[in-house]
Amino acid sequence: MEKVYYFDNNATSRVAPEVAKEMEPFFNDLYGNPSSMHFFGGGNQKYLDLGRERVAKLLGAEPSEIIFTSCGTESDSTAIWSTIQAYPEKNHFITTKVEHPAVLNLAKHMEMKGYRVTYLPVDGAGQINLEDLKLALTPDTALVSIMWANNETGVVYPVEEAARIAHAKGALFHTDAVQAVGKIPINLKETKIDLLSLSGHKLHAPKGIGVLYARKGIRFAPFMLGGHQEHGRRAGTENVPYIAGLGKAAELAAQNLEKENSYVKGLRDRLETGLLKIKNSRVNGGGASRLPNTTNVSFEYIEGESILLMLSEKGICASSGSACTSGSLEPSHVLMAMSVPQTYAHGSVRFSLSVYNTQEEVDYILKELPPIIERLRAISPFADGKPLFGMEACDPHHHH
């Protein structure tokens, strides 16, 4: 395998070597079940406690408020279902048009079940307007769910203020913080946030472990029923090795927060500045406050998929902000909500960095990508002065 230039950390991140090392004993000698009465299993309880303390510390929470789950999606589902069950008298849910499918598809499912859902719009920079939230809230609103940071654009939302607004109207507040944790400082004690989701594999822990933070004292109905684990809030034998690994990853994330916002951000800015030298390119979400590691750039008149395939041939891993796979001509729902012009929306590429990236890697992309764009534009039926006959055909149904 020749060198991999990995710029897709919002999709998943490498497991930190320190994390793998922390997990190893649990695959060998320490295989006991923490719920067992005997010393061998019960002795593993202290490793669960340590993992919980480390995650709580990163979030500015109490260890008792940390519930381990299998992933970010389970945490999102639990937060939303739990609130709906805890407040059967309420029938309204508020979220945004730019959430991850883990929230959006559940919202659509709830609408089919007769629940009322409001989807807050975003402006051209991808930012929400808190006045829209104030207008949407009613005494019937059970929950407001707004992501802390967007996975496609890196735009950071004013969730702390949004949580205060929701509370003032008697609604609970959930945030999908899967992309934010470890990249920007979070201190839940100083906020009114009731529920927060995170996923291990976005912060250099393995796939298959997540957390739901549930503020002490809120009404909570478990999603997974069965044994007594996680204080009766999430049944199923605890995943000891992954909990230990996530604890270590949380500790590393706290140490790397400064580096994330200086070193990683510097690399991202260098990459972005270089990419904007390519003509007819634009940054999506550049006008809003963003995560330090993410840039989403659109190149006019070409398909993001073609760019990704050609980058992939050069060993560069990025992703497209869009799901224009062979079966669908739909650009990304996030870019649609931001009203990115059709001619740009299809040609978007997301680069997401981590502390493991280097300046050499950034410069390699800046060397390889411009000729790729040039080649694709040369064969694009839409580029430079060619008639735009087909661009409208990409959008047969209008998005309101």
Side-chain angles (χ1 to χ4, degrees):
M1 182 82 183
E2 60 270 40
K3 180 162 167 55
V4 175
Y5 297 83
Y6 190 75
F7 284 79
D8 202 11
N9 287 275
N10 289 8
T12 197
S13 61
R14 65 175 293 177
V15 174
E18 301 92 326
V19 170
K21 191 164 172 252
E22 191 89 4
M23 292 168 67
E24 226 216 329
F26 303 99
F27 293 117
N28 298 307
D29 303 334
L30 301 177
Y31 55 84
N33 185 329
S35 300
S36 302
M37 292 297 287
H38 46 71
F39 74 95
F40 181 63
N44 271 349
Q45 186 60 50
K46 61 178 177 287
Y47 301 112
L48 289 184
D49 295 344
L50 177 63
R52 210 180 296 280
E53 280 159 25
R54 284 168 157 177
V55 171
K57 196 170 174 210
L58 176 65
L59 297 177
E62 294 296 324
S64 64
E65 297 173 311
I66 302 300
I67 302 167
F68 289 111
T69 66
S70 65
C71 61
T73 297
E74 186 196 326
S75 298
D76 285 341
S77 266
T78 304
I80 294 167
W81 280 121
S82 168
T83 308
I84 288 167
Q85 291 192 307
Y87 293 90
E89 71 283 3
K90 295 187 169 190
N91 190 42
H92 181 226
F93 170 48
I94 298 173
T95 185
T96 74
K97 288 184 173 176
V98 292
E99 296 297 313
H100 188 273
V103 170
L104 274 186
N105 287 338
L106 185 47
K108 288 175 188 156
H109 177 77
M110 285 160 51
E111 278 185 297
M112 281 160 52
K113 293 255 186 271
Y115 223 77
R116 201 163 69 77
V117 182
T118 302
Y119 300 92
L120 301 175
V122 294
D123 62 19
Q127 192 50 272
I128 59 168
N129 182 344
L130 291 174
E131 292 307 311
D132 293 335
L133 173 60
K134 288 175 186 164
L135 292 170
L137 279 159
T138 75
D140 194 34
T141 309
L143 180 70
V144 177
S145 179
I146 298 175
M147 58 187 359
W148 202 308
N150 188 272
N151 46 302
E152 290 191 23
T153 58
V155 170
V156 175
Y157 302 99
V159 289
E160 296 173 39
E161 181 59 25
R164 282 194 287 274
I165 294 168
H167 268 223
K169 279 281 200 289
L172 285 190
F173 187 87
H174 166 252
T175 182
D176 173 340
V178 164
Q179 294 296 345
V181 174
K183 294 174 194 160
I184 52 179
I186 289 177
N187 187 0
L188 289 173
K189 279 195 190 74
E190 290 176 2
T191 74
K192 294 271 190 253
I193 293 166
D194 300 295
L195 296 149
L196 173 145
S197 307
L198 75 87
S199 175
H201 75 106
K202 304 294 202 268
L203 56 139
H204 307 294
K207 296 154 196 64
I209 183 76
V211 163
L212 176 62
Y213 157 87
R215 176 182 293 285
K216 239 196 309 235
I218 63 166
R219 280 199 231 172
F220 185 84
F223 179 58
M224 299 272 278
L225 299 168
H228 60 86
Q229 294 90 347
E230 298 299 294
H231 303 295
R233 295 172 302 182
R234 200 277 187 183
T237 301
E238 300 93 343
N239 189 347
V240 185
Y242 283 62
I243 289 169
L246 179 56
K248 186 65 182 174
E251 192 179 74
L252 291 172
Q255 291 163 14
N256 279 329
L257 207 52
E258 216 279 311
K259 192 173 180 186
E260 192 79 39
N261 287 279
S262 50
Y263 171 75
V264 178
K265 183 176 187 294
L267 290 181
R268 188 274 311 265
D269 291 347
R270 181 184 180 93
L271 176 62
E272 194 167 87
T273 307
L275 294 178
L276 286 176
K277 291 186 179 139
I278 299 173
K279 70 176 187 145
N280 295 19
S281 61
R282 56 171 275 164
V283 174
N284 300 310
S289 80
R290 283 184 301 164
L291 294 173
N293 81 315
T294 306
T295 179
N296 184 312
V297 182
S298 286
F299 302 97
E300 198 170 22
Y301 302 128
I302 45 187
E303 283 289 339
E305 273 61 29
S306 323
I307 304 172
L308 291 182
L309 290 170
M310 292 174 88
L311 283 173
S312 188
E313 283 171 15
K314 302 282 185 190
I316 299 167
C317 306
S319 82
S320 129
S322 97
C324 310
T325 37
S326 47
S328 126
L329 275 171
E330 280 291 278
S332 124
H333 70 282
V334 175
L335 300 185
M336 296 300 288
M338 290 165 66
S339 308
V340 172
Q342 277 289 336
T343 53
Y344 277 100
H346 285 279
S348 70
V349 182
R350 177 190 73 188
F351 295 97
S352 44
L353 290 72
S354 80
V355 290
Y356 295 107
N357 287 116
T358 64
Q359 189 179 311
E360 291 73 49
E361 293 175 334
V362 167
D363 292 344
Y364 177 75
I365 294 180
L366 292 176
K367 182 178 100 208
E368 296 294 343
L369 187 55
I372 289 176
I373 301 297
E374 210 169 308
R375 262 179 71 191
L376 290 171
R377 282 202 176 135
I379 57 173
S380 164
F382 308 121
D384 281 352
K386 297 179 187 165
L388 282 181
F389 60 88
M391 237 26 210
E392 292 312 303
C394 286
D395 193 18
H397 39 264
H398 303 289
H399 296 265
H400 298 296

